[in-house]
């Protein structure tokens, strides 16, 4: 009876408080308009340009494209390499997730930062680092004549390098909060260590493992920079093929069909991901993560720790170290000094100017992403949101999976007429970068905003505070740190955005990822060395941003 009265009371308060719904709709208005104009409209424009002929939609073109053997090969390769990359990442990273969750050892925070560095690196830098390790003239080529570039193994290892932190953070963050006494109780009842883990811990971890696997699959299914650099002409994902059809063959019809296929696949993955996250939030009872970690005990645990450290050293640190070593290959920092002069061919300006351009664009993109993402997170704070609001939450994640190449080319097609004639404006690049940064802002701020006691907001409103003042006086002091972390993530991902920027960055204002790709596309040791130098600079900037993030990160933020 009391429970019924409580629920009725909650419903009555919601019914008597139309201001709450109105405020949420007002908060959603700006993000919805932003995504409608700068995401949905450009994507729809390029799809329409490809499928519309004489004012009529040619849906039969979809079947014609799917009937092509080379397109089916691209679809097959995209799918199976994503599945293989996901399985290999889980196999290699799950021991690391356990070590970070259950072990306490010197240098743990430093190692956590090292593990996370690859995730915030641009895919162009990841591809360049592995090119320096396994490509022509790379370390393995020099030591034993082994070349793995233009092979599937180079792509798979690069994907593991990039997504290792996704599994460690997502699964390890939850593993650290699982009560170890449940598994110990099973052991006391006679279960072996393996059986206790399989029947007690694994079911509890399953939602986190599924969420991490879906994220890795999403990132590898839409892989562009890594495959573009390491795959060569023999391997092409959907994203690479869309780029090729758009910029080299100029077949917008085929590119539009591939975009629709990728969109459908990404939407399905995001739907499953949203289901696993809701299941995870509602099914687990957690403890303080600080109470579950302890020093390794016994030979087995120390061997496991050593194995994880060795994996991190070989898989994550070695490619970056080789990248730095290759950038120093010319005497007297010759590759770095060459960045200060323009050759009149690849660039209209000295390549070193790409650093300043990237920083300026990233700052502008971060400001846009924080405003749009902050408003969206505030609108999604209420847990009793309806289907429309949950659909809005899914919409915010789409830019992570929809072809960035399509978005970039769509910008050129759609935003070239008044009142949105932005094709020659500098703001075009930050707008494209902000689309990728907004999901990180939302995912970072939303859990913290939901943790704020709603009664504090209600009390401030009863005392006459406006919604803006409630946000400024109640929410902002509690979420300031999360806001800074969100800004840091948005800055890092904006700095490394490549798929859309490669279309819209002007030749006299290149970004760092675009400059690296252009240098790698030209023959000659000097161009190769300059690409390594620029990649090293970009890596260092991202690493500094990550160090700042780690210092700001809240103690319980165990995932992205």
């Amino acid at each position: 009876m009391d429970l019924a009265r409580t629920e009725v009371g909650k419903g009555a308060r919601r019914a008597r408080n139309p201001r709450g719904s109105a405020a949420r709709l007002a908060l959603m208005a700006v993000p919805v308009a932003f995504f409608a104009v700068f995401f949905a409209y450009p994507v729809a424009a390029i799809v329409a340009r490809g499928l519309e002929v004489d004012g009529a939609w040619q849906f039969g073109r979809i079947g014609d494209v799917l009937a092509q053997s080379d397109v089916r090969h691209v679809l097959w390769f995209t799918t199976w390499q994503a599945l293989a990359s996901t399985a290999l990442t889980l196999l290699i990273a799950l021991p690391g997730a356990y070590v970070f969750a259950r072990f306490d050892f010197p240098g743990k925070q430093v190692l956590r930062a090292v593990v996370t560095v690859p995730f915030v690196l641009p895919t162009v830098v990841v591809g360049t680092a592995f090119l320096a390790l396994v490509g022509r003239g790379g370390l393995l080529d020099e030591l034993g004549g082994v070349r793995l570039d233009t092979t599937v193994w180079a792509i798979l290892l690069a994907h593991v390098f990039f997504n290792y932190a996704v599994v460690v953070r997502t699964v390890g963050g939850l593993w650290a909060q699982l009560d170890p006494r449940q598994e110990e109780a099973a052991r006391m009842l006679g279960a072996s260590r393996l059986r206790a883990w399989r029947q007690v811990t694994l079911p509890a971890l399953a939602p986190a493992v599924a969420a991490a696997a879906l994220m890795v699959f999403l990132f590898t299914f839409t892989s562009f920079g890594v495959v573009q650099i390491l795959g060569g002409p023999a391997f092409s994902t959907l994203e690479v093929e869309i780029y090729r059809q758009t910029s080299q063959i100029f077949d917008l019809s085929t590119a539009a069909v591939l975009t629709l296929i990728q969109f459908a696949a990404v939407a399905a993955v995001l739907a499953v991901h949203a289901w696993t996250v809701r299941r995870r939030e509602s099914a687990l009872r957690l403890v303080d993560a600080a109470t579950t970690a302890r020093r390794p005990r016994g030979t087995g645990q120390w061997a496991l720790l050593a194995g994880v450290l060795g994996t991190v050293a070989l898989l994550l640190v070695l490619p970056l170290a080789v990248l730095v070593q290759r950038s120093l290959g010319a005497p007297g920092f010759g590759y770095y000094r060459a960045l200060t002069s323009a050759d009149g061919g690849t660039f209209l300006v000295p390549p070193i100017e790409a650093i300043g351009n990237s920083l300026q664009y990233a700052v502008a993109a971060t400001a846009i992403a924080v405003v749009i993402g902050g408003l969206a997170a505030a609108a999604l704070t209420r847990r009793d949101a309806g289907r429309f609001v949950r659909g809005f939450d899914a919409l915010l994640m789409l830019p992570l999976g929809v072809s960035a190449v399509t978005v970039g080319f769509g910008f050129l097609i759609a935003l070239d007429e008044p009142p949105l004639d932005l094709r020659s404006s500098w703001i075009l690049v930050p707008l494209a970068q902000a689309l990728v940064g907004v999901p990180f802002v939302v995912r970072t701020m939303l859990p913290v905003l939901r943790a704020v006691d709603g009664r504090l907001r209600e009390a401030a409103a009863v005392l006459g505070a406006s919604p803006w003042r409630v946000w400024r006086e109640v929410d902002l002091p509690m979420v300031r740190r999360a806001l800074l972390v969100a800004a840091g993530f948005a800055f890092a991902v904006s700095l490394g955005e490549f798929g859309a920027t490669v279309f819209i960055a002007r030749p006299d204002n290149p970004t760092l990822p675009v400059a690296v790709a252009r240098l790698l596309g030209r023959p000659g040791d000097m161009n190769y060395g300059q690409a390594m130098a620029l990649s090293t600079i970009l890596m260092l900037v991202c690493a500094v941003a990550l160090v700042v993030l780690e210092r700001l990160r809240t103690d319980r933020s165990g995932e992205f």
Side-chain angles (χ1 to χ4, degrees), residues 399-413:
L400 291 181
V402 173
S403 170
V405 171
T406 300
V407 174
F409 196 63
F411 269 34
L412 296 181
I413 292 177

Side-chain angles (χ1 to χ4, degrees), residues 38-126:
F38 298 113
F39 177 68
Y41 177 45
V43 172
I46 193 171
V47 171
R49 181 73 64 90
L51 294 181
E52 189 176 357
V53 179
D54 296 329
W57 285 76
Q58 303 295 323
F59 290 106
R61 179 61 179 158
I62 297 177
D64 295 338
V65 171
L66 292 177
Q68 300 175 16
S69 60
D70 56 340
V71 171
R72 292 199 303 270
H73 175 74
V74 169
L75 289 173
W76 169 244
F77 175 73
T78 301
T79 303
W80 85 257
Q81 66 82 25
L83 291 171
S85 296
T86 301
L88 190 60
T89 302
L90 290 175
L91 179 65
I92 295 176
L94 281 176
Y98 176 80
V99 165
F100 278 100
R102 294 304 196 201
F103 291 172
D104 185 19
F105 52 90
K108 181 178 179 179
Q109 294 303 320
V110 175
L111 186 63
R112 186 193 299 273
V114 170
V115 165
T116 312
V117 164
F119 181 76
V120 301
L121 287 179
T123 55
V124 172
V125 174
V126 175

Side-chain angles (χ1 to χ4, degrees), residues 196-480:
W197 182 83
R198 188 178 68 248
Q199 296 186 349
V200 178
T201 303
L202 184 58
L205 285 177
V209 174
L214 286 168
M215 289 177 67
V216 174
F217 180 85
L218 178 65
F219 291 141
T220 53
F221 186 83
T222 58
S223 182
F224 178 53
V226 168
V227 179
Q228 178 81 348
I229 292 174
L230 295 176
F235 301 105
S236 180
T237 58
L238 272 173
E239 187 82 353
V240 174
E241 187 64 18
I242 292 171
Y243 174 76
R244 191 175 73 90
Q245 295 288 342
T246 303
S247 63
Q248 299 176 9
I249 302 178
F250 303 107
D251 186 352
L252 293 185
S253 179
T254 299
V257 172
L258 296 179
T259 296
L260 291 176
I261 294 172
Q262 182 167 309
F263 183 85
V266 167
V269 172
L270 290 177
V272 176
H273 181 266
W275 176 78
T276 58
V277 169
R278 287 197 299 271
R279 177 186 169 196
R280 171 182 168 183
E281 289 179 345
S282 61
L284 299 178
R285 303 176 67 178
L286 308 177
V287 299
D288 188 353
T291 64
T292 61
R294 63 186 183 185
R295 299 276 292 184
R297 300 176 183 175
T299 304
Q301 292 188 354
W302 281 108
L304 177 60
L305 176 58
V308 169
L309 293 177
T311 300
V312 170
L314 291 176
L315 184 63
L316 305 185
V317 177
L318 181 60
L320 299 180
V322 174
L323 175 65
V324 176
Q325 184 268 332
R326 288 292 185 269
S327 74
L328 299 173
F333 297 94
Y335 295 142
Y336 289 91
R337 287 190 288 107
L339 297 175
T340 62
S341 61
D343 59 6
T346 306
F347 302 100
L348 301 179
V349 296
I352 197 71
E353 292 191 12
I355 300 173
N357 296 336
S358 288
L359 292 175
Q360 293 174 20
Y361 287 144
V363 169
T366 299
I368 297 171
V370 167
V371 172
I372 301 299
L375 291 173
L380 294 168
T381 298
R382 290 280 295 274
R383 290 184 178 273
D384 58 351
R387 292 183 179 180
F388 176 73
V389 178
R390 289 197 295 269
F392 171 65
D393 189 10
L395 169 68
L396 298 173
M397 297 295 292
L398 283 179
L400 291 181
V402 173
S403 170
V405 171
T406 300
V407 174
F409 196 63
F411 269 34
L412 296 181
I413 292 177
L415 305 180
D416 63 342
E417 297 179 357
L420 287 174
D421 187 3
L422 302 177
R423 190 158 55 176
S424 60
S425 174
W426 67 272
I427 196 64
L428 208 59
V429 174
L431 286 172
Q433 294 173 340
L435 284 172
V436 183
V438 167
F440 288 90
V441 174
V442 174
R443 297 271 75 84
T444 302
M445 293 189 61
L446 189 57
V448 181
L449 282 171
R450 282 179 172 169
V452 177
D453 193 339
R455 291 173 296 183
L456 296 176
R457 300 190 186 102
E458 294 174 1
V462 169
L463 294 174
S466 64
W468 164 247
R469 187 174 181 184
V470 170
W471 161 258
R472 189 179 70 244
E473 302 291 343
V474 177
D475 293 83
L476 183 58
M478 297 185 180
V479 303
R480 184 179 291 111

Side-chain angles (χ1 to χ4, degrees), residues 178-190:
L178 293 181
D179 192 345
R181 291 174 296 182
Q182 297 178 0
E183 189 172 328
E184 293 171 359
R187 294 286 308 281
M188 292 180 62
L189 293 174

Side-chain angles (χ1 to χ4, degrees), residues 512-523:
L512 278 170
V514 172
V516 170
R518 289 179 182 173
L519 286 168
L520 287 175
R522 296 188 66 188

